[in-house]
Amino acid sequence: MSADHLTQQLASDGCHLFSGCGFPAPGLNEFQFDPIFTVAGVGFNKPMLLSMVAALLVIGFFWVAFAKPKVLPGKMQLVGEIGYDFVKRAVVLDTIGKKGEKYAPMMVTMFFMVWVMNIMSVIPFAQFPVTAVIAYPAGLALVVWVTYMTLTFKKHGFVGGLKNLCWPSDIPGWVMFILVPIEFFSNIFVRPFTLAVRAFANMFAGHLLIVMFSVASWYLLSPTIGALYATTSFAVTLGLTAFELLVQFLQAYILVTLASSYIAGALEEAH
């Protein structure tokens, strides 16, 4: 149930401050959706729909922008080139170097996919960040982890790959019995976990805060001093929404930056 549904419920119940009803604090129910329809026993819910819409928007935009590229770009091509070059130059090439050229399409796709899924939280009728469901960041983290592992062992071989993952360079041998297990656990398990949680937790918390203050704005509204409370709560909602727009961009940027750093580590020469 989203903020608009909770507000409608409060309005239908006539539930306000001093009316005798308690504040219906939002919780995990905000992230649970009934299936829109079911196919072969699998329910298709709102986050699934929004993820497909986000994918179609990203694919559609770049298809229109680069379907017929011109030397003198039009508006769509110009915007597409700016977006592509930003991720390619500011993230991929700066992190990986010239070897990262071939990985730019993957990172550009991941950046815009995450960004658009995040932006869904402020789009009317959508009003939900898809990455607030852990399955979607986990899927992206899995793609990054598989790419990271594949490149590591392809570049260095099995033994060299293990050394790349577990054996830090320029470290005294007597501390290796401590560092090797830590590096192994960190690179194999912690990295994909933190990559997924980082993208998920901020959207989860941000959405919950916006819903809480949105509902509070209606609940606190009353002819007396509650109007002041409601106005304050609404101002906080607007501030959180503006801040969330920044966080949505930063989360996409951080994810592709970390993914690029993992690929750079996989491609670096053995010491």
Side-chain angles (χ1 to χ4, degrees), residues 1-8 30 127 207 210-211 214-215:
M1 185 180 294
S2 59
D4 57 333
H5 292 144
L6 278 172
T7 304
Q8 291 170 12
E30 300 301 317
Q127 296 178 295
H207 178 69
I210 290 174
V211 171
S214 297
V215 175

Side-chain angles (χ1 to χ4, degrees), residues 4-269:
D4 57 333
H5 292 144
L6 278 172
T7 304
Q8 291 170 12
Q9 178 182 333
L10 288 172
S12 64
D13 295 340
C15 188
H16 289 286
L17 185 67
F18 308 126
S19 66
C21 61
F23 175 62
L28 292 179
N29 57 307
E30 300 301 317
F31 304 89
Q32 298 171 351
F33 296 88
D34 295 328
I36 301 172
F37 59 86
T38 302
V39 177
V42 178
F44 187 88
N45 59 19
K46 182 177 179 179
M48 294 179 182
L49 175 62
L50 294 180
S51 67
M52 292 186 66
V53 171
L56 290 174
L57 287 174
V58 173
I59 293 171
F61 170 75
F62 282 103
W63 180 273
V64 172
F66 297 112
K68 296 180 179 179
K70 300 177 181 179
V71 176
L72 184 62
K75 293 181 180 179
M76 289 292 286
Q77 182 181 337
L78 180 61
V79 173
E81 288 179 353
I82 291 173
Y84 188 93
D85 283 345
F86 167 75
V87 179
K88 175 184 172 182
R89 298 180 186 279
V91 180
V92 180
L93 295 185
D94 278 359
T95 305
I96 305 176
K98 293 183 179 180
K99 294 181 291 185
E101 185 88 31
K102 63 188 295 185
Y103 305 103
M106 172 185 172
M107 296 303 165
V108 170
T109 302
M110 189 173 296
F111 173 86
F112 283 99
M113 187 65 189
V114 172
W115 192 18
V116 174
M117 287 196 297
N118 290 345
I119 287 176
M120 287 293 173
S121 68
V122 296
I123 295 178
F125 303 109
Q127 296 178 295
F128 185 78
V130 181
T131 47
V133 177
I134 187 64
Y136 296 94
L140 292 171
L142 179 61
V143 171
V144 173
W145 184 83
V146 169
T147 304
Y148 172 45
M149 291 293 107
T150 301
L151 291 175
T152 297
F153 289 106
K154 183 179 179 180
K155 171 74 175 179
H156 304 284
F158 182 75
V159 175
L162 288 176
K163 184 177 179 180
N164 179 276
L165 292 170
C166 308
W167 196 275
S169 59
D170 302 324
I171 300 294
W174 62 272
V175 296
M176 282 301 181
F177 75 98
I178 298 176
L179 287 182
V180 168
I182 293 175
E183 288 291 314
F184 179 83
F185 185 77
S186 173
N187 290 325
I188 301 298
F189 300 105
V190 175
R191 278 189 169 185
F193 176 77
T194 56
L195 193 64
V197 171
R198 192 189 305 271
F200 154 76
N202 286 281
M203 292 300 101
F204 180 93
H207 178 69
L208 193 58
L209 282 172
I210 290 174
V211 171
M212 181 173 294
F213 281 98
S214 297
V215 175
S217 298
W218 174 266
Y219 175 77
L220 294 170
L221 189 62
S222 67
T224 57
I225 194 172
L228 176 61
Y229 299 154
T231 302
T232 303
S233 180
F234 183 69
V236 172
T237 302
L238 294 179
L240 285 172
T241 301
F243 181 69
E244 190 73 359
L245 287 171
L246 174 62
V247 172
Q248 289 163 1
F249 172 83
L250 289 177
Q251 285 305 305
Y253 179 83
I254 291 170
L255 188 142
V256 296
T257 300
L258 289 174
S260 296
S261 70
Y262 298 162
I263 291 176
L267 297 177
E268 70 180 5
E269 298 297 332

